[in-house]
Amino acid sequence: MARKHSKHGPYEDLASAEETPAPAISCWLCGRPTGKTTVWHHPVPKSRGGRDVVPMHPICQQTLIANFTNSELQRYGMDVEGLLANPAIRKFVDWVANKDPDFTASTSKKQR
């Protein structure tokens, strides 16, 4: 029985020629380029009618979730500057600014 496709087809050269790195997407919260793991976060929670998604580092998303309730996130919406006005978030963004894009650490919950 004959093969439909040869072992050494015309597509081998295309794969090696088009290997260009994907452009780095910047994190919505901290502005650093994202690493291997990118989380698509809903700034307005889905439970509150949010549809838009933004790219974030997992640690940035964990920090937002630890510091804000869904109703607070709904009030801020897509306003990053409003979130950065919070002292805990500003302190986190300043701390994580010089870290590797794939940096991860545990986040503590906000005392409520």
Side-chain angles (χ1 to χ4, degrees), residues 43-58:
V44 177
K46 286 173 63 175
S47 63
R48 304 292 178 149
R51 293 177 182 230
D52 297 331
V53 291
V54 293
M56 291 182 76
H57 295 105

Side-chain angles (χ1 to χ4, degrees), residues 25-34 55 57 60 80 84 93 96:
I25 301 171
S26 61
C27 177
W28 179 71
L29 183 65
C30 68
R32 296 179 303 136
T34 56
H57 295 105
C60 293
V80 178
L84 292 174
V93 169
V96 82

Side-chain angles (χ1 to χ4, degrees), residues 41-108:
H41 175 72
H42 290 268
V44 177
K46 286 173 63 175
S47 63
R48 304 292 178 149
R51 293 177 182 230
D52 297 331
V53 291
V54 293
M56 291 182 76
H57 295 105
I59 191 170
C60 293
Q61 183 190 32
Q62 291 167 0
T63 302
L64 273 186
I65 291 170
N67 286 290
F68 294 103
T69 63
N70 282 351
S71 59
E72 289 172 331
L73 288 174
Q74 180 185 10
R75 277 183 256 142
Y76 285 111
M78 297 291 287
D79 182 25
V80 178
E81 296 304 320
L83 293 170
L84 292 174
N86 181 308
I89 300 298
R90 173 50 62 192
K91 182 178 177 182
F92 165 78
V93 169
D94 291 343
W95 172 74
V96 82
N98 297 325
K99 305 284 190 248
D100 184 58
D102 290 318
F103 175 78
T104 184
S106 60
T107 55
S108 60

